[in-house]
Amino acid sequence: EKANEVAMTALRIVARMKRDWIVAGRRPAGICAAALLIASRAHGFDRHNQDVTKVLRVCGLTVMNRVREFEATPSAALGLDEFHKRDIQEEADPPVFIKNRIREARARAVQENNVELLTSGALDNPHFKGNHAGRWRRPRALTERQSQYTEMYEQLETELKEDKLDTEMVDAAKREDLGIEDLRKRANPLCSFLRAEEGFEHRAPNGISTLHTQISYPRGINQRPVILPNQATAEELVKPAQKPEDKLNFEEWKKGVLEDADDEIDFLFRTDDEVRERE
């Protein structure tokens, strides 16, 4: 009986997650594991991450991320009985949307030199508590692998400079129009591996020094400086040429398909009713 109650609560949690945009873009295993973990704890069972990760074969960190995302929604503040009886009409913003808005707010505060806002805790990660929530303010030390990559890129760039200089010296010797010193002044790498913002239009502003630490300008997932909406380039502001929605004339498109592939095309585009009839 308890197992059935836990399953029904987990199904309701999954439905609520879907309504709050937590399911979008995520694998079902992580969603189901998080819903089962929350439901079992809500019914009084002492369960840990390992209890669901072993069964559903999903990473424990993934489960905790889904649980934290659900904790940030209004539904997480409801009791068990109230959660089953009450339906909150408002939808929560997608977790990625919230994360990007916080990152943009940090970037704007750094640009405006707003030390009070940066150190107030208002821009901390809502999924963490205590010192972990303000970890973004502390500078990140390079790992051993990152240091190796930086050294490798510097070596590659040096080799590219030398190769390009040697090529230009040979060409200049044939033409006899430039000296060696002139070539050394003009020597530039064919491409730069160091710091993405050097070859990028939006460069990261300097960080802010506080009493206890140095707060650097935030970066996105691609390790490039965060671009605020008012910093968009003319190319980025151009409207897409592709229509958001467009209808395909299937019969007209099918005329250009080989006759041997008609059956395969029909099989791919069968409706659910047609599939049931053939089964």
Side-chain angles (χ1 to χ4, degrees), residues 40-275:
S40 59
R41 290 177 177 176
H43 284 276
F45 293 100
D46 186 15
R47 292 292 181 265
H48 302 281
N49 291 4
Q50 295 81 0
D51 298 327
V52 292
T53 55
K54 290 179 181 178
V55 177
L56 294 172
R57 298 183 181 276
V58 65
C59 177
L61 181 60
T62 301
V63 177
M64 287 309 301
N65 287 336
R66 301 294 87 80
V67 171
R68 292 192 185 104
E69 290 170 358
F70 182 76
E71 287 177 351
T73 62
S75 301
L78 302 177
L80 181 59
D81 295 336
E82 191 178 7
F83 177 72
H84 279 278
K85 296 177 182 178
R86 180 182 173 188
D87 283 332
I88 299 178
Q89 299 299 326
E90 296 80 9
E91 297 179 356
D93 291 327
V96 176
F97 176 84
I98 297 174
K99 186 176 181 180
N100 288 336
R101 294 295 82 79
I102 294 175
R103 190 181 286 127
E104 289 178 1
R106 293 172 185 171
R108 195 174 290 107
V110 171
Q111 283 188 345
E112 297 173 356
N113 200 18
N114 193 341
V115 180
E116 183 179 356
L117 178 60
L118 290 169
T119 56
S120 65
L123 302 180
D124 287 353
N125 193 332
H127 297 158
F128 295 98
K129 299 178 181 178
N131 294 331
H132 292 285
R135 188 171 54 184
W136 63 274
R137 284 193 291 267
R138 297 190 289 270
R140 292 184 179 182
L142 288 177
T143 62
E144 183 178 356
R145 176 169 292 184
Q146 289 174 337
S147 301
Q148 292 175 355
Y149 280 144
T150 303
E151 183 180 354
M152 180 183 67
Y153 291 151
E154 289 177 350
Q155 184 178 358
L156 285 172
E157 189 164 353
T158 303
E159 292 177 358
L160 287 172
K161 285 182 179 180
E162 293 177 353
D163 292 343
K164 184 180 180 183
L165 182 60
D166 293 340
T167 304
E168 290 187 352
M169 289 176 64
V170 172
D171 295 340
K174 294 179 180 179
R175 298 192 309 267
E176 296 182 357
D177 55 355
L178 286 176
I180 296 178
E181 294 299 327
D182 295 333
L183 289 171
R184 292 187 182 278
K185 292 179 182 179
R186 292 175 49 186
N188 291 315
L190 296 175
C191 58
S192 178
F193 293 95
L194 302 178
R195 296 184 309 186
E197 67 268 18
E198 288 186 356
F200 196 68
E201 186 169 347
H202 305 284
R203 297 192 178 185
N206 296 326
I208 295 178
S209 297
T210 62
L211 183 63
H212 301 287
T213 186
Q214 170 81 12
I215 301 177
S216 58
Y217 190 83
R219 296 175 178 272
I221 300 177
N222 56 2
Q223 298 303 317
R224 287 182 172 178
V226 172
I227 303 173
L228 298 176
N230 59 350
Q231 295 175 332
T233 62
E235 183 179 357
E236 293 168 343
L237 293 175
V238 174
K239 294 183 179 180
Q242 182 66 31
K243 297 180 180 179
E245 295 181 1
D246 200 358
K247 293 183 178 180
L248 174 66
N249 189 337
F250 182 69
E251 296 299 329
E252 183 178 350
W253 174 82
K254 194 176 176 182
K255 293 178 181 178
V257 180
L258 298 176
E259 296 181 359
D260 298 340
D262 284 349
D263 293 337
E264 297 180 7
I265 296 297
D266 290 337
F267 177 77
L268 291 174
F269 290 94
R270 282 196 188 108
T271 63
D272 295 337
D273 295 336
E274 291 175 347
V275 172

